[in-house]
């Protein structure tokens, strides 16, 4: 009996040790991430003022803002979304509707999942080879193209997943009243999956709004206001990169503030996107 | 049947046929459009591979296989070898995975077995949100907060501690710069933690409740259930998650570029500045003059692309296997 109870005690002890470790892992992991966000808010909020949004990026050693960088990010993100979203939605539509069980869909699904986590700097190199080198100069257009290539896999994935959730009975009802396939897709499947597809698009915006690596040698950077798509353009992430590594305190402060802005944007977009699908699940 | 058709006047029947033809045509067009978009995704990946090979060709033909076995990186004499960045990439990623995976599994156990139910969803969502934070944020934190902390507090302590211990001495040698291999690896670990956690949690949740309940039923402790039921059942999925994290870590640029130190040499010390493939490209590409220099950097990109492709493909294959099993 005593042998059995000592075994029992040992097992209980081992369990307690392992469970404590796992609680500690959760504590350490979440605290660590909390620490990063805390530092970000602390340092970033210190430089937050109206001039950040109204003034251009300053020369070294002077005060200024991030206006041209913010505008550049918005412009390039916007173009990337306009180019990338239709391709992504259409490809996702093919995989979920026309070719759900086809070999092509299987291959695209696999490749798309790889593109989803492929190193973004390699995408930057690709666009450099494809656009910057032939054109002979860096441009906002090339930056937007690189971002668009990151948008596509995200949108493909969510579109396909969301269309797959649409019950087949809905499609059959559409077909039964004589609607051709594309009208069923447009008026039934898209409509039923709309909030999910929008979620995917928002997540794609969140994904590219913080991307730095693919912009480094496509859009480059620009100290000044630029409205031409054919010239280098500033973006928030690249500006943060440049300013953070500089020895000037004003620049470093702006980098922190920019980092805070990006994080707030990304978190805001993700939370909003999630709330769209969460409502759907509750229904 | 015939009676119905005869009842329809020819004019209307003609319009009907035209409408059906129009519908069929539009449908075929839409089908072709979506199919072309799907093929475009394939073309994109193929295009990336081909353009990298083309761009890297001058370097590959000039240096041949010695490109991956030599260490010198000299823009002046135009001698380029990729060994140092490859070493840095693999070492930082390996350490990052070694640190992040046990913590990730721990958090997953916490979330699936221990956490009070009302807290599960919020913590799970928080973890997923953190996975979306851009890597430049981790980079800037590493540079301004983490590296100075390591430099002032941790590194001198560790260097003193291991002085005189044979292997560890050289592993933790040198002046405490703050930046370097270990700092980068730790920041990568924090970065991939949300990925490994959420995938591990997802695969843990695929374990049928019946299996766990029968183990609990014969008196197993929570740890025994995890160790002997949950982990064996989800082994392939966990491996997939680990590989996915590894793929992320290998290709990660911004978080590393800030704190790696960009030094093209292989040092046994983990505290020494080093470089990775992505950091080298990010730091040097716009300043590279000369065709061979640019081509060498693109060749680095090609190596990274192939490496991550293989690892991500393996990861996806493993995760696919576990998906199929739960689907069946």
């Amino acid at each position: 009996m005593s042998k059995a109870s000592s075994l029992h005690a040992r097992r209980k002890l081992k369990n307690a040790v392992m469970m404590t470790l796992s609680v500690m892992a959760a504590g350490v992991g979440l605290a660590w991430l909390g620490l990063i966000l805390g530092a970000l808010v602390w340092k970033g909020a210190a430089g937050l003022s109206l001039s950040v949004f109204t003034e251009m990026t300053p020369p070294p050693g002077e005060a200024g803002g991030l206006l041209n960088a913010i505008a550049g990010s918005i412009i390039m993100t916007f173009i990337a979304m306009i180019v990338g979203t239709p391709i992504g939605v259409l490809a996702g539509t093919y995989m979920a509707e026309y070719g759900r069980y086809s070999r092509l869909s299987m291959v695209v699904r696999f490749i798309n999942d790889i593109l989803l986590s492929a190193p973004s700097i390699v995408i930057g190199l690709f666009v450099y080879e494809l656009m910057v080198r032939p054109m002979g100069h860096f441009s906002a257009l090339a930056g937007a193209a690189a971002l668009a290539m990151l948008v596509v896999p995200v949108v493909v994935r969510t579109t396909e997943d969301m269309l797959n959730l649409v019950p087949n009975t809905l499609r059959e009802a559409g077909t039964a009243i004589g609607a051709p396939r594309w009208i069923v897709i447009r008026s039934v499947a898209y409509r039923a999956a709309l909030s999910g597809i929008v979620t995917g698009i928002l997540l794609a915006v969140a994904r590219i709004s913080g991307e730095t690596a693919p912009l480094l040698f496509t859009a480059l950077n620009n100290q000044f206001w630029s409205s031409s798509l054919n010239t280098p353009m500033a973006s928030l992430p690249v500006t943060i990169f440049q300013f953070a590594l500089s020895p000037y305190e004003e620049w470093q402060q702006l980098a922190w503030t920019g980092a805070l802005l990006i994080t707030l944007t990304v978190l805001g977009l993700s939370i909003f996107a999630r709330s769209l699908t969460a409502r759907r699940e509750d229904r | 049947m015939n009676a119905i058709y005869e009842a329809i006047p020819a004019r209307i029947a003609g319009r009907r046929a035209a409408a059906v033809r129009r519908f069929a045509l539009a449908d075929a067009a839409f089908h072709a459009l979506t199919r072309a978009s799907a093929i475009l995704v394939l073309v994109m990946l193929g295009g990336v591979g081909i353009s990298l090979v083309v761009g890297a060709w001058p370097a590959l033909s000039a240096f041949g296989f010695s490109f991956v076995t030599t260490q010198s990186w000299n823009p002046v004499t135009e001698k380029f070898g990729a060994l140092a960045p490859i070493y840095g990439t693999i070492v930082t990623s390996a350490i990052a995975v070694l640190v992040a995976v046990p913590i990730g599994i721990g958090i997953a156990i916490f979330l699936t077995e221990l956490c009070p139910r009302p807290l599960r969803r919020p913590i799970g969502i928080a973890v997923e949100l953190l996975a979306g934070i851009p890597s430049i944020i981790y980079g800037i934190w590493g540079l301004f907060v983490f590296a100075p902390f390591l430099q002032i507090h941790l590194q001198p302590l560790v260097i003193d501690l291991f002085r005189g211990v044979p292997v560890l001495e050289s592993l933790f040698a040198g002046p405490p710069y703050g930046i370097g291999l270990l700092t980068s690896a730790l920041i990568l670990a924090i970065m991939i933690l949300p990925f490994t956690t959420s995938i591990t949690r997802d695969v843990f949740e695929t374990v049928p409740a019946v299996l766990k309940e029968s183990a609990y039923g014969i008196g197993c402790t929570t740890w025994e259930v995890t160790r002997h039921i949950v982990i064996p059942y989800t082994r392939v999925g966990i491996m997939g998650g680990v590989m996915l994290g590894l793929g992320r870590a290998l290709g990660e640029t911004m978080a590393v570029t800030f704190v790696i130190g960009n030094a093209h040499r292989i040092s046994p010390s983990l505290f020494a500045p080093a470089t990775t493939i992505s950091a080298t490209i990010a730091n040097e590409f716009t300043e590279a003059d000369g065709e061979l220099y640019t081509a060498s950097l693109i060749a680095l990109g090609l190596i990274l692309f192939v490496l991550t492709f293989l690892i991500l493909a393996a990861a996806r294959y493993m995760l696919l296997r576990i998906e199929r099993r739960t689907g069946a």
Side-chain angles (χ1 to χ4, degrees), chain B residues 264-276:
Chain B
H264 276 276
R265 60 168 180 266
I266 298 177
S267 158
S269 171
L270 292 178
F271 288 166
T275 193
T276 66

Side-chain angles (χ1 to χ4, degrees), chain A residues 8 151 194 252 266:
Chain A
H8 181 64
V151 169
L194 185 66
Q252 291 180 358
V266 169

Side-chain angles (χ1 to χ4, degrees), chain A residues 5 17 40 67 69 76 79 89 108 127 130 132 140-141 164 186 190 200 205 218 225 239 246-247 277:
Chain A
S5 73
V17 169
L40 185 68
L67 176 61
M76 285 191 284
I79 299 174
V89 169
V108 172
V127 174
L130 197 72
V132 177
L141 222 49
N164 277 338
R186 199 190 62 190
Y190 278 168
V205 177
T218 51
W225 178 264
T239 306
S246 76
T277 38

